[in-house]
Amino acid sequence: MGQLQERYKNYRVPQKYMEAGVYPYFREITSKQMTEVTDIDGHKILMFGSNAYQGLTNDQRVIDAAQAALDKYGSGCAGSRFLNGTLDLHVQLEKELAEFMGKDETLCFSTGFSVNQGVLACVVGRNDYIICDDRDHASIVDGRRLSFATQLHYKHNDMEDLERVLCKLPEDAIKLIVVDGVFSMEGDLANLPEIVKLKHKYNCSIMVDEAHGLGVFGKQGRGVCDHFGLTDEVDLIMGTFSKSLASIGGFIASDKDTINFLRHNCRTYIFSASNTPAATAAALEALHIIQNEPERFENLWDVTNYALKRFREEGFEIGETESPIIPLYVRDAEKTFVVTKLAYDAGVFINPVIPPACAPQDTLVRFALMATHTREQVERAVEILKKIFVEEGIIKA
């Protein structure tokens, strides 16, 4: 047995949950990602665990666009964008995204994770500083770890703590504040107006991760930066295709010079195979749809506001969420797994959130909405979850 095999042969972290029959991960779905899905045993389950906020992953127009690209370009490019992997389709998507996001140019990557990982490792270096909210996404954490910049963080959405960090840094040094626009587990928004004030006070730059804001906030779903009217104040805007744009991939939007630098220096862009034609075409078609169908936003916010109201009425603790991401706090890791399993058995698919995705005292189940959900589906889920939470002693009847 080799050294690595010896090290990991006794890895048993999930064992007690498996033995108890409440291990909640890697649940197999055998259908499209709709508001109701089918599992491997043929059971119908209400899907409240998806990030497809616009409900477009099963839209026939998106599927047809992906199929047409597959027929025209084949299954892949077999190379990086830097070499043989740039299609006219990639360039078209980048141009349309730049216009949509209100920036000079964009650069598309094969995954959203690799955007944050590569951009942060590239744009700041020695003698620079990265300052992050302590609940920023794991891709931001990994990106800053790859950078040679000094890494600092502040308490979640605590502007006094952010200022405490900034006031100690050299005025003329590059200081990049990196923040999620919408925090993916808690559903609350970054305090971008105050961050922009601190940017000017302490001579900083700002990068916003719009993974969960794109297709949800702002005019035509342009994101949290647009929602606050602060797009011009944000230096770098990141987004993904794997949520509202019903595909896989990601992008960074910025000024022409910064994008040109990243195009020639960002390692996760240069040394990764380019996004598949089908994925690129799917994202492009989804972008067109969300710009032309405002009723999708109306539906999304109707069911979101209804769900927020009902969960509060029934006594759930849902924190400061302002988005289709609704955290239902459990505050006990084992009960979080139990609740997830009981909900699944009762026909509701939700996601458990435990460390390291949250603090040990903040465990929760994540309830997420799509534009294609109905009030009736939300009501059914609320009733099922209320019964489970009461039986487990998490909330009162």
Side-chain angles (χ1 to χ4, degrees), residues 70-374:
L70 189 64
D71 292 339
K72 180 178 180 179
Y73 299 99
S75 60
C77 298
S80 76
R81 288 287 305 278
F82 206 68
L83 301 175
N84 65 301
T86 292
L87 304 175
D88 54 352
L89 199 60
H90 294 124
V91 175
Q92 181 184 355
L93 178 57
E94 288 176 337
K95 287 180 178 178
E96 293 196 26
L97 278 170
E99 183 177 354
F100 183 69
M101 299 304 297
K103 291 297 183 184
D104 292 348
E105 293 187 8
T106 64
L107 201 61
C108 288
F109 291 66
S110 300
T111 67
F113 199 104
S114 65
V115 178
N116 283 337
Q117 191 177 49
V119 169
L120 289 174
C122 186
V123 296
V124 285
R126 288 186 175 86
N127 303 316
D128 299 336
Y129 298 86
I130 297 178
I131 308 99
C132 297
D133 187 294
D134 64 10
R135 292 188 190 173
D136 278 348
H137 189 263
S139 58
I140 294 174
V141 174
D142 281 7
R144 79 184 191 199
R145 285 173 175 171
L146 288 172
S147 170
F148 291 110
T150 300
Q151 301 171 36
L152 303 167
H153 64 89
Y154 60 96
K155 297 175 184 176
H156 177 54
N157 256 347
D158 187 330
M159 297 298 99
E160 289 185 4
D161 198 43
L162 174 56
E163 184 162 19
R164 176 192 63 79
V165 173
L166 293 176
C167 72
K168 298 177 181 178
L169 304 181
E171 183 178 358
D172 57 349
I174 298 293
K175 301 174 286 293
L176 180 63
I177 303 169
V178 188
V179 66
D180 287 10
V182 180
F183 290 91
S184 59
M185 297 297 110
E186 297 82 7
D188 54 340
L189 307 188
N191 191 346
L192 198 54
E194 291 302 314
I195 292 173
V196 167
K197 289 179 182 177
L198 292 173
K199 164 189 173 174
H200 291 295
K201 185 174 181 179
Y202 293 102
N203 188 30
C204 302
S205 299
I206 301 174
M207 176 174 167
V208 174
D209 179 331
E210 288 278 21
H212 296 270
L214 189 68
V216 179
F217 289 93
K219 183 181 179 183
Q220 298 180 314
R222 286 175 168 84
V224 172
C225 299
D226 183 84
H227 169 73
F228 286 118
L230 295 170
T231 297
D232 290 344
E233 295 283 1
V234 177
D235 303 274
L236 294 148
I237 301 177
M238 174 269 183
T240 60
F241 305 152
S242 56
K243 280 76 176 175
S244 290
L245 295 186
S247 185
I248 186 71
F251 69 90
I252 191 73
S254 189
D255 63 278
K256 183 177 180 179
D257 291 336
T258 301
I259 294 297
N260 184 54
F261 173 80
L262 288 168
R263 184 178 287 116
H264 293 88
N265 291 276
C266 183
R267 294 172 69 84
T268 59
Y269 176 81
I270 295 172
F271 296 106
S272 290
S274 62
N275 213 358
T276 66
T280 305
L284 183 60
E285 181 62 22
L287 181 63
H288 294 162
I289 292 171
I290 68 173
Q291 290 180 86
N292 291 299
E293 296 185 1
E295 63 270 21
R296 306 191 78 89
F297 294 94
E298 295 169 10
N299 294 341
L300 175 60
W301 282 104
D302 178 71
V303 293
T304 294
N305 290 328
Y306 181 75
L308 290 168
K309 173 176 173 289
R310 290 294 292 119
F311 279 123
R312 289 191 175 107
E313 288 174 347
E314 296 298 339
F316 288 84
E317 182 188 356
I318 64 172
E320 301 299 321
T321 181
E322 300 178 55
S323 72
I325 300 167
I326 304 179
L328 307 177
Y329 283 93
V330 179
R331 302 195 182 282
D332 179 284
E334 191 156 338
K335 280 189 177 181
T336 299
F337 280 3
V338 169
V339 165
T340 303
K341 176 63 164 56
L342 292 174
Y344 188 87
D345 290 345
V348 178
F349 192 113
I350 49 178
N351 293 312
V353 180
I354 64 167
C358 67
Q361 69 275 14
D362 292 333
T363 67
L364 58 95
V365 290
R366 182 182 183 273
F367 187 95
L369 293 144
M370 296 182 275
T372 42
H373 278 121
T374 66

Side-chain angles (χ1 to χ4, degrees), residues 373-385:
H373 278 121
T374 66
R375 286 190 175 202
E376 290 74 21
Q377 289 174 324
V378 170
E379 187 61 35
R380 181 178 159 198
V382 170
E383 291 174 0
I384 290 170
L385 292 170

